[in-house]
Amino acid sequence: MLRNPQPDKTDTERQAGERIAKAVARAGICSRREAERFIAAGRIRLNGHILTSPAVTVKPGDAVTVDGKPLQPPEPVKLWRYHKASGLVTTHRDPQGRATVFDHLPKRLPRVISIGRLDLASEGLLLLTNDGMLARRLELPATAWTRRYRVCVRGAVEKARLDRLAQGTTVEGMDYGAIIVTLDTVENGEHWLTMCLKEGKNREIRRVLQYLGLEVRKLVRTAYGPFQLGNLAREQVDEVPCRVLRDQLGAKLMSSLSGPDTSGKTRNAHRRRSS
């Protein structure tokens, strides 16, 4: 079960309100950081007034609009497994015009946010959610969830050097935490490794292996915490059942992230933006 690094809010605290960026993230529109950029761009109004700062508290009864559309109450938290293919970038809008993960998602999905990223050349399991606060929570190292990868490399593999990664390493001034590496198979001069880590810093595996003189030929994420890629086909998406989500996150945390599903249906007021 997920560790809960912060206490859940009481009803009294909820009545006192929450920061505008958090309220927008909880509605599933975007992440909290993206919401702050929306505010800087003048895209969010509170009670008819354009916001210029994220240091604003939203209270029950306040009217919030994003791009002129009323902010909906938080949707029931949902999580999906998605098999990202190589060649897709994990962003809603790519300034270089490259194909994105969100271009390739089924139209039936609501507006979703990725939990962490996989770089352009990487593939495998990517978790998607409609809840910005859940995305932030699961990305934090405090969750202590292990990310597992299968990695194909070329070069002189030295088991002793791979084993030392378990003590952490520093590459060009960047400190990386423990990485547990298992040497699986060798075929046609290529080595297949299983690598497990908890931090997941930007391009961490590629940078560490390059530091060891190894060329990454293929990188596939096979697990993120308790959620597995399994037999999910490339570019296929599969919703995690609510009972499984509650088992892994805990009912108390689930209820603190968003309100109950009073309609019995997922609202589609905020669809995926086209990129």
Side-chain angles (χ1 to χ4, degrees):
M1 183 182 293
L2 172 67
R3 295 179 183 177
N4 189 3
Q6 298 177 348
D8 295 328
K9 286 194 171 184
T10 64
D11 290 340
T12 300
E13 289 174 315
R14 289 193 183 96
Q15 288 297 318
E18 60 188 357
R19 287 296 180 95
I20 180 65
K22 184 174 181 179
V24 172
R26 277 167 50 83
I29 294 177
C30 61
S31 69
R32 186 155 57 179
R33 185 173 298 176
E34 286 177 313
E36 292 174 352
R37 290 196 286 266
F38 283 15
I39 292 168
R43 297 172 59 182
I44 299 180
R45 290 176 179 260
L46 176 62
N47 298 326
H49 300 286
I50 296 176
L51 294 182
T52 58
S53 168
V56 173
T57 298
V58 179
K59 297 182 179 180
D62 283 340
V64 179
T65 60
V66 180
D67 294 334
K69 298 178 180 179
L71 190 69
Q72 300 295 320
E75 296 183 349
V77 175
K78 291 182 180 292
L79 186 74
W80 291 266
R81 295 182 306 126
Y82 174 69
H83 189 158
K84 177 194 174 296
S86 176
L88 300 178
V89 292
T90 311
T91 183
H92 282 276
R93 296 183 184 277
D94 181 58
Q96 300 180 41
R98 295 171 296 183
T100 77
V101 163
F102 302 97
D103 293 332
H104 287 244
L105 294 178
K107 299 297 182 184
R108 60 180 170 81
L109 288 187
R111 174 39 160 93
V112 293
I113 302 164
S114 66
I115 296 172
R117 296 191 176 196
L118 287 172
D119 64 34
L120 179 70
S122 299
E123 57 188 274
L125 180 65
L126 186 65
L127 296 180
L128 306 171
T129 180
N130 62 343
D131 190 286
M133 296 311 299
L134 176 62
R136 176 175 171 79
R137 186 72 65 90
L138 296 190
E139 288 172 350
L140 293 174
T143 62
W145 272 4
T146 297
R147 288 84 152 159
R148 186 171 69 244
Y149 301 80
R150 285 269 291 161
V151 188
C152 179
V153 299
R154 278 187 178 275
V157 173
E158 300 178 29
K159 187 176 184 302
R161 297 188 74 190
L162 294 178
D163 290 344
R164 283 198 292 272
L165 294 179
Q167 278 72 55
T169 189
T170 300
V171 179
E172 297 180 351
M174 176 66 73
D175 294 328
Y176 295 105
I179 303 176
I180 308 301
V181 186
T182 303
L183 178 58
D184 296 326
T185 59
V186 181
E187 184 177 348
N188 299 324
E190 294 182 334
H191 296 73
W192 278 95
L193 313 173
T194 295
M195 304 184 69
C196 298
L197 53 93
K198 294 183 184 295
E199 286 186 317
K201 291 179 179 175
N202 185 35
R203 297 180 64 81
E204 179 170 348
I205 288 178
R206 294 183 186 276
R207 287 174 174 169
V208 168
L209 291 178
Q210 183 180 29
Y211 172 72
L212 297 181
L214 301 174
E215 176 193 358
V216 175
R217 304 284 289 178
K218 190 170 185 177
L219 192 156
V220 183
R221 182 155 64 197
T222 58
Y224 193 111
F227 302 105
Q228 312 289 319
L229 178 64
N231 295 322
L232 196 63
R234 281 186 178 85
E235 296 190 38
Q236 293 299 302
V237 62
D238 181 59
E239 183 176 346
V240 176
C242 182
R243 61 175 179 77
V244 175
L245 194 54
R246 285 184 174 273
D247 285 346
Q248 298 301 332
L249 303 185
K252 187 176 181 181
L253 175 57
M254 285 283 288
S255 64
S256 76
L257 289 169
S258 68
D261 185 5
T262 56
S263 67
K265 298 179 181 179
T266 299
R267 290 182 297 273
N268 291 316
H270 299 286
R271 303 292 298 179
R272 290 185 299 111
R273 293 198 310 266
S274 349
S275 303

